[in-house]
Amino acid sequence: MSELYELSEPASAKTRVVVIGGGYAGTMAANHLRLREDVDITLVNPRPQFVQRIRLHQLAAGTGAATADYGTLLGEGIRLVVDTATHIDAPARQVSLASGGVLNYDYLIYAVGSTGATPVAVPGAAEYAFHLAELEGAQRLRYTLADLPPAATITVVGGGLTGIEAAGELGEQGWPVTLVCGGILGPSLSGPGRRSVAKQLRKLGVNVLESATVTEVRWDSVVLGDGAVMPSEATVWTAGFGVPDLATRSGLRTDALGRLLTDETLTSITDYRIVAAGDAAAPSNQPLRMSCQAAIPLAAQAANTVLARIAGTAPAPLNQAFTGQCISVGRSYGTIQLARTDDTPVNFYVGGRVAAALKDLVCKGTVWGLRKEAAKPGWYRWLKGGNRPARLGSDEQVAVP
């Protein structure tokens, strides 16, 4: 059982590892580090509960829960600090917290995840749109929907997987939903997979606008690119993701989005004692698709990099592959889009109730896997053999003393 960590660091000869972020990546990394008994592990997270991000659309629609107790997810001895990291002082090996506390580390795993991207160029989006990238946004949407009449119109902006799942979940609950894609529906899917999703959205009464864009969000409507004003009592913005700016603010090298730049061992090119995992990592400046499918294997490999450095051995390069994408379109229908190991889709999918059941098993399996790793560190295995793009140049390698 893990314990809440009060900022009184133990006097210990153990190697101190701080993990920033308690999502899928951070939780897996912390548990995997327990392969060595001489590692003191601290997990920093702003919330006292684990958020199942892949279920936030269910929470918003009132069809499911999206949190879990860290006490069941973290292995023995891992200290949980419920706080927000505000600065990383790499030379001093310290993490400053919003509460005023400071954590010292020997190694740091940067697993801050991703957030919803609010476009500053779209008036009203920050003030009036709801986001499903974080727990608080999903809760706020849920509370708002509870106060709206049943015939209230809802607009979902963004035709990616999050937008599809949100539109399907809300449409199945009887809400009049319009999905504004900004381009094609499901751009990461194959043609057959896209048609499977579109067919079910139509059955649920979701109005899909593939070529339309939203140029303004108002409290009761949205303005489309052609100037048309469409009623919208609740607007859900799922178009694009960003990452917290902690690395940038801390003077660490990042990509254009703010993800921590690393080499192929997930080691920061700024400081070899900082290792990244999950959505906020950019290995060789070629980040993987933001997803728990990518984040969890990245986390195990990031932990292995730290463990290798503690042992004085060379860390292994990144090696993982994708299998596909699981999309729920309401509770009773889903689409499983199969993919090559490099994450490009193939023209084959599984649809219908079987796919819906498989998607739910995947959601349950992610949490089950974290619990299993907590009970038996090193249990977790991942698919390997995915193709990797071009590496960083020779001038961007990590210098390790």
Side-chain angles (χ1 to χ4, degrees), residues 263-338:
D263 66 8
E264 284 293 295
T265 70
L266 299 174
T267 302
S268 165
I269 64 173
T270 305
D271 189 302
Y272 81 99
R273 290 183 178 270
I274 300 176
V275 181
D279 290 352
S284 298
N285 203 16
Q286 296 288 344
L288 281 68
R289 174 168 55 87
M290 291 183 176
S291 63
C292 64
Q293 182 180 174
I296 294 175
L298 282 171
Q301 293 173 92
N304 282 342
T305 290
V306 171
L307 294 174
R309 295 215 188 280
I310 294 172
T313 60
L318 173 63
N319 184 3
Q320 72 183 72
F322 286 85
T323 58
Q325 301 170 66
C326 302
I327 310 107
S328 62
V329 192
R331 292 295 84 213
S332 60
Y333 191 96
T335 295
I336 309 297
Q337 170 66 66
L338 300 183

Side-chain angles (χ1 to χ4, degrees), residues 15 17 28-41 107-109 265 267 272 275 299-316 373 377-378:
T15 302
V17 181
M28 172 56 73
N31 284 333
H32 199 71
L33 286 168
R34 293 178 62 247
L35 279 167
R36 287 185 67 109
E37 295 182 354
D38 59 347
V39 177
D40 184 84
I41 309 162
Y107 291 94
L108 176 77
I109 294 183
T265 70
T267 302
Y272 81 99
V275 181
Q301 293 173 92
N304 282 342
T305 290
V306 171
L307 294 174
R309 295 215 188 280
I310 294 172
T313 60
E373 185 70 15

Side-chain angles (χ1 to χ4, degrees), residues 63-279:
T63 58
T67 59
D69 181 5
Y70 273 119
T72 69
L73 294 177
L74 294 178
E76 184 78 25
I78 297 174
R79 288 179 294 277
L80 175 64
V81 176
V82 181
D83 210 329
T84 300
T86 58
H87 184 74
I88 300 167
D89 186 338
R93 300 180 199 165
Q94 290 184 332
V95 178
S96 298
L97 305 175
S99 65
V102 174
L103 291 171
N104 297 306
Y105 66 84
D106 296 303
Y107 291 94
L108 176 77
I109 294 183
Y110 187 81
V112 298
S114 57
T115 62
T118 301
V120 295
V122 179
E127 294 85 354
Y128 301 118
F130 297 89
H131 294 272
L132 293 182
E134 297 183 2
L135 176 64
E136 292 77 13
Q139 289 174 328
R140 191 164 67 92
L141 176 57
R142 178 63 190 145
Y143 300 148
T144 297
L145 294 177
D147 292 334
L148 292 178
T153 57
I154 299 174
T155 301
V156 178
V157 183
L161 303 191
T162 303
I164 290 169
E165 293 198 324
E169 205 77 26
L170 295 168
E172 191 175 61
Q173 296 306 302
W175 296 99
V177 178
T178 295
L179 177 60
V180 182
C181 298
I184 65 171
L185 175 70
S188 63
L189 305 178
S190 66
R194 192 175 302 119
R195 289 190 290 273
S196 169
V197 168
K199 179 180 178 180
Q200 182 61 15
L201 288 174
R202 286 195 299 270
K203 286 184 178 180
L204 297 176
V206 176
N207 178 30
V208 178
L209 303 179
E210 285 199 283
S211 59
T213 58
V214 170
T215 58
E216 183 181 354
V217 179
R218 300 172 180 173
W219 72 273
D220 62 347
S221 62
V222 294
V223 180
L224 301 181
D226 60 3
V229 178
M230 188 170 65
S232 180
E233 277 84 353
T235 300
V236 185
W237 198 280
T238 69
F241 288 92
V243 296
D245 64 351
L246 176 60
T248 303
R249 286 188 287 106
S250 300
L252 304 174
R253 289 283 302 280
T254 63
D255 69 1
L257 192 66
R259 289 171 287 217
L260 188 68
L261 282 173
T262 77
D263 66 8
E264 284 293 295
T265 70
L266 299 174
T267 302
S268 165
I269 64 173
T270 305
D271 189 302
Y272 81 99
R273 290 183 178 270
I274 300 176
V275 181
D279 290 352

